[in-house]
Amino acid sequence: MNLKTALMGAVATVALGQMAYADAHEGDRGRDGEVKVIYWQAPSILNPFLSGGTKDIEAASLMIEPLARYDSSGALTPWLVEEVPTVANGGVSEDLTSITWKITSGILWSDGTPFTSADVKFTYEYCTDPESGCAQLTKFEGVTSVETPDDLTVVVNFDGPTPFPYGPFVGGESPILQAAQFADCMGAKAPECTDENFGPIGTGPFVVTDFRTNDVIQLVANENYREAGKPAFASMTFKGGGDATAAGRSVMETGEFDYAWNLQLAPDVIASMEAGGMGTPVAGFGPLMERIMLNQTNPDPSLSDEERSVIRPHPFLGDPAVYKAMSMAIDRPLLVEVGYGQAGKVTCNWIPAPEAVNSDTFTCDTQDIAGANAMLDAAGYMDTDGDGVREANGVPMQILYQTSTNAVRQDFQALIKEWWSEIGIEAELRNIDASVFFGGDPGSPDTFQKFYADVEMYANTFNGTDPQAYLGNGLCDNAPSPATQWQGENISRFCSEEYDALYAQLTTTADADERAAISRQLNDIMVEEGGMIPLVHRGRLSAHATSLGGVDLNVWDSELWNAADWYRTGDNR
């Protein structure tokens, strides 16, 4: 499938669909019956503050919403407020130490009670409780307090000038929780509140009626939703699990479902499915990047939970000669060809988009097995017993390489395992059900946050076009650990004083060009010092039924950001 063609087709489809919807907009809420969505990575929780998994964040966005979010062009847009505060409109203080949000009057929670500033303040207190293990803590970096002068006013105060004050309560990763519902779920009790975490009361277009973790969510239209006639669908079935192939077929070939997310499939497979005529693929490039994370700590299974993936350092992955050789051995153009075609690009960077923050420091588009072997030889890593595996301090360089279960990722694993064997590093492959791997269960040994392996592969992204909060995931104190109930986005446990200091500089820098330059420097430190090995800049690829109108793929926020605008154009099933 040609990504450019898909993008053009998507734009045309959305434009025509919006015109048709405008004509039919006066209809009753729920007039179009049921809509069926499939995420083959099944949601395991509906509270984004207790999960870093995209699947969970996006499913939750159907219920709970932020004050502002990013539209499909990447523009910051008001959501539950009158306008986006700026210095020009008086919403951001001249000294850049506070931002004031004005909540739109009349918004109700799905239980019919008023949405107020007290809920916003509560959400801040909930996430920043030191015992909560909040997965989105970087959104609140630098916040000293949240004030509520009245029911419709929220003032966020920072510890110093904050040129980019749009971390808290902005985007699908930082929605508002209802204070009344979560009042007894503070701190260490947060993950124990099953009813609340599985069925949050929200301001969004849908309400959960039944949640079966890692399986199915049943939802109905929110009768208290703020826009008349929306959502058009009376109910939604949100199916989780399976695999990307089955999900794609269920929309484009059989018509069983209306929307399929994250079709991480080879381009010829997508083209074959599209020929089925029941659905249309939609695609777009944002900051989504497939990478290999390098564990900076020791995942030795002989260690206790309190020590495993917490003790530093890793026996050999912290050596630049090792992780640079591992990167040099990888044929990224072949990975793109095999896995994504036009929906992928080679990248050497953690932050591949927007273009202003895409660093040009590194080159990695040519595989160099000979150079990688020479680098390891020079560093003293030799195969002394002739078994094809080098040793580090007498211990074989054998690693556990894990990822989620997915056909493309297993293809990548097989190829990379072979390339690493050519430089004397032996990899044991492991794949874990995606719903578990990306879940937030602090009791599971198999989550990507616990990282009970030497290297692991996955992709993630961030909301909006400014990467500040995302770059905050590289701070030393954002590493998952038992003390944080294994939440946190510094998955590799990377720690650099230089990085932390430079990040602090970013948070006080206003000039756009300077912010971009610092962001590129932070990117370079993370890659140069072995936090990760970037692989592929991925386009986001999903599919919707030809009968589903209003879909507007968003690569800068939740893909389900405008589910309230979806409608049925005609039944093709």
Side-chain angles (χ1 to χ4, degrees):
M1 184 194 67
N2 184 288
L3 181 60
K4 181 177 180 181
T5 301
L7 285 167
M8 293 174 64
V11 170
T13 299
V14 169
L16 290 172
Q18 289 173 339
M19 291 172 61
Y21 186 58
D23 294 336
H25 182 61
E26 297 304 318
D28 294 333
R29 175 175 291 139
R31 61 192 173 275
D32 288 339
E34 182 186 25
V35 63
K36 300 178 73 174
V37 173
I38 183 166
Y39 271 44
W40 58 272
Q41 293 179 13
S44 54
I45 194 170
L46 295 177
N47 183 348
F49 297 109
L50 299 183
S51 174
T54 301
K55 62 188 178 65
D56 301 325
I57 293 167
E58 297 205 351
S61 72
L62 294 164
M63 287 74 69
I64 51 178
E65 304 177 302
L67 297 182
R69 69 184 337 145
Y70 298 90
D71 66 17
S72 58
S73 71
L76 191 57
T77 186
W79 209 250
L80 301 178
V81 292
E82 296 293 341
E83 62 182 352
V84 174
T86 64
V87 173
N89 64 26
V92 175
S93 63
E94 292 286 347
D95 63 1
L96 307 181
T97 61
S98 70
I99 181 171
T100 300
W101 297 91
K102 294 290 187 179
I103 296 171
T104 302
S105 177
I107 295 176
L108 300 177
W109 290 103
S110 57
D111 65 359
T113 59
F115 173 83
T116 73
S117 58
D119 298 298
V120 182
K121 181 178 182 178
F122 170 82
T123 300
Y124 161 70
E125 294 170 345
Y126 175 91
C127 184
T128 56
D129 187 300
E131 296 184 352
S132 72
C134 182
Q136 309 300 338
L137 196 58
T138 55
K139 295 291 185 180
F140 299 95
E141 288 283 344
V143 177
T144 57
S145 66
V146 174
E147 299 174 2
T148 55
D150 59 58
D151 284 350
L152 299 180
T153 303
V154 177
V155 181
V156 181
N157 297 304
F158 299 94
D159 57 10
T162 304
F164 188 80
Y166 306 114
F169 318 123
V170 175
E173 297 166 347
S174 189
I176 313 303
L177 299 178
Q178 188 194 57
Q181 184 185 27
F182 282 86
D184 295 328
C185 301
M186 296 288 286
K189 294 181 180 179
E192 300 172 6
C193 290
T194 302
D195 291 345
E196 293 81 357
N197 294 329
F198 285 5
I201 294 168
T203 56
F206 291 94
V207 177
V208 177
T209 58
D210 184 47
F211 179 87
R212 283 176 271 167
T213 183
N214 298 330
D215 188 6
V216 177
I217 311 170
Q218 297 292 344
L219 309 101
V220 295
N222 176 6
E223 291 301 323
N224 289 302
Y225 189 63
R226 59 191 172 275
E227 294 189 60
K230 295 183 182 182
F233 292 101
S235 64
M236 175 186 289
T237 296
F238 192 116
K239 179 72 175 74
D243 56 55
T245 301
R249 285 176 176 161
S250 71
V251 171
M252 292 187 281
E253 292 184 1
T254 69
E256 180 185 358
F257 283 85
D258 296 299
Y259 191 89
W261 166 84
N262 187 28
L263 298 182
Q264 194 176 348
L265 299 166
D268 59 327
V269 175
I270 294 292
S272 175
M273 289 179 180
E274 186 178 8
M278 302 293 286
T280 303
V282 287
F285 277 100
L288 183 65
M289 191 273 288
E290 190 83 14
R291 84 290 301 276
I292 292 174
M293 302 300 289
L294 302 164
N295 201 336
Q296 301 293 298
T297 61
N298 194 341
D300 188 340
S302 67
L303 298 171
S304 69
D305 285 347
E306 294 298 315
E307 299 173 309
R308 195 176 182 188
S309 288
V310 175
I311 291 177
R312 288 185 173 83
H314 188 279
F316 53 84
L317 283 180
D319 187 340
V322 175
Y323 59 75
K324 289 182 180 181
M326 292 168 70
S327 179
M328 292 166 63
I330 296 171
D331 186 344
R332 289 173 177 80
L334 182 57
L335 294 182
V336 170
E337 179 184 344
V338 167
Y340 300 103
Q342 294 291 319
K345 305 174 184 177
V346 169
T347 187
C348 314
N349 293 319
W350 178 23
I351 314 291
E355 187 58 37
V357 297
N358 186 27
S359 174
D360 60 2
T361 300
F362 308 110
T363 56
C364 61
D365 55 357
T366 301
Q367 184 185 45
D368 187 1
I369 296 290
N373 274 310
M375 182 175 288
L376 291 171
D377 288 344
Y381 296 101
M382 309 302 293
D383 173 15
T384 60
D385 57 9
D387 66 352
V389 180
R390 296 176 186 268
E391 292 93 33
N393 298 317
V395 178
M397 296 178 72
Q398 297 169 324
I399 59 176
L400 177 60
Y401 174 11
Q402 71 180 21
T403 188
S404 63
T405 304
N406 169 266
V408 171
R409 288 200 170 122
Q410 271 66 82
D411 287 344
F412 278 25
Q413 278 187 305
L415 289 167
I416 293 171
K417 172 185 171 74
E418 175 59 30
W419 295 328
W420 283 346
S421 74
E422 294 179 37
I423 63 171
I425 297 176
E426 183 178 43
E428 175 188 349
L429 304 183
R430 182 174 185 238
N431 65 83
I432 302 166
D433 181 271
S435 301
V436 175
F437 185 66
F438 294 114
D441 181 2
S444 171
D446 297 322
T447 64
F448 78 110
Q449 294 102 324
K450 279 198 173 174
F451 201 174
Y452 283 175
D454 299 281
V455 301
E456 65 182 11
M457 181 172 63
Y458 62 90
N460 71 7
T461 185
F462 59 89
N463 286 174
T465 57
D466 188 288
Q468 178 177 306
Y470 189 64
L471 289 163
N473 293 334
L475 297 172
C476 296
D477 61 4
N478 285 333
S481 71
T484 66
Q485 301 191 56
W486 296 103
Q487 294 296 343
E489 289 294 321
N490 184 351
I491 303 302
S492 65
R493 282 75 171 177
F494 173 85
C495 188
S496 162
E497 291 183 2
E498 178 188 6
Y499 186 99
D500 282 16
L502 191 59
Y503 180 82
Q505 182 181 337
L506 174 65
T507 64
T508 60
T509 299
D511 181 80
D513 290 340
E514 291 181 23
R515 288 181 65 80
I518 294 172
S519 296
R520 293 193 297 270
Q521 287 178 266
L522 289 166
N523 171 93
D524 292 354
I525 292 172
M526 177 63 71
V527 176
E528 177 67 23
E529 297 187 9
M532 68 180 68
I533 298 175
L535 297 175
V536 178
H537 180 194
R538 284 175 46 192
R540 295 185 72 160
L541 179 65
S542 296
H544 66 85
T546 56
S547 66
L548 183 63
V551 175
D552 187 8
L553 183 72
N554 192 337
V555 299
W556 308 107
D557 207 306
S558 168
E559 279 193 28
L560 303 177
W561 75 294
N562 77 327
D565 298 333
W566 292 0
Y567 59 95
R568 185 73 67 198
T569 62
D571 195 350
N572 67 343
R573 290 173 294 171

